[in-house]
Amino acid sequence: MKAYALFTVLAAAIAIPATAQTPLGEIDSHIAAAKTAAGLDYRATFVNLCFPTPLPGGPRGGAALLIPRPAPDRGIWYASPYQVFDNLYWLGTRQHSSWALKTSAGLIIIDTNFAWATQPEILDGLTKLHLSPRDIKYVILSHAHGDHDQGVATLQSKFGAKVVMGGPDWDATLKRAPDVAGGVPVRGPGDIAVGPEGTKVTLGDTAVDIVFTPGHTPGTLSYIFPVKDKGKTVMVAYSGGTLTGAFGSDAKRWDEYIDSQKRLAQAAAAAGASVILSNHSEYDNAYTKARLVGVKREVGEDNPFIAGSQSVQNYFTVMQECATASKLRNMAK
Ligand SMILES: [Zn+2]
């Protein structure tokens, strides 16, 4: 380091009042807490959240994801559909997940992936699993980013599915140009714009508790819902938005995200959730676990998706601790 540069650094350090500095040790202690909570189960969540990189072209779901594109080479994304619980079906690609929750009165689709995945993964997937796309009654979207919502307009126009989205994300979606990838859903009677108070979507014998968890987007939704594992009820916590790479020094956004994770963790604990799901396989290992479901279980062995309630809490600890570390790091810049 040249002498003048060293002087500049020293002068800057002296000029900052002690109270405005974030001791490196504090950031490190949050990262250490996240790493411990992540263990081997949530390593990808840990590295992506604790060491976020600004995404090229701005936040995900920005203009780049709205441009219609042909499907990438099928060999890099296609995955077979799998039944993972008695009434829950995985319809994802190897990277992104869509889910079908079967109720006594039809299907609820959770997240819809890219437009090019609608036919091969969601529609053909349902058919392969002996379910009918005509039974889709609701589509619940975790947030309005193209990797999770491009299929929704098709499911709405073809099958009359009602669309559930966070209010701010609905508003943003309706402002899209009509020629965006996958098209734009319409908001009509029966479609639901969820506000900060959250809501419950009930179809037949199944209710999805919707928790408003802004942060990743202004209207991100997360869920708590029951599934059955060989007849036994198991509670699922579904984390609707993960990355924080676009937050920069916006303290309010960091705080909103951290608060959302706390509230969702509390809701998961109150419900006794022992399964954590996400819309990216990277974070919940859905693709791996979906294939494991088909492997014969030993006596007493749980469904591979059942992580236990402590593990579910650990997931949210990773999110909170990494977000806190990243916030401190960004504020200190
Ligand atoms: Zn997103």
Side-chain angles (χ1 to χ4, degrees), residues 60 143 145 147-148 216:
R60 263 175 130 84
H143 65 275
H145 280 168
D147 48 347
H148 308 298
H216 180 73

Side-chain angles (χ1 to χ4, degrees), residues 93-118:
T93 58
R94 295 183 201 180
Q95 296 80 24
H96 294 87
S97 296
S98 289
W99 306 84
L101 181 61
K102 186 183 174 188
T103 80
S104 60
L107 299 171
I108 298 172
I109 298 292
I110 298 173
D111 285 325
T112 60
N113 218 320
F114 289 106
W116 43 261
T118 308

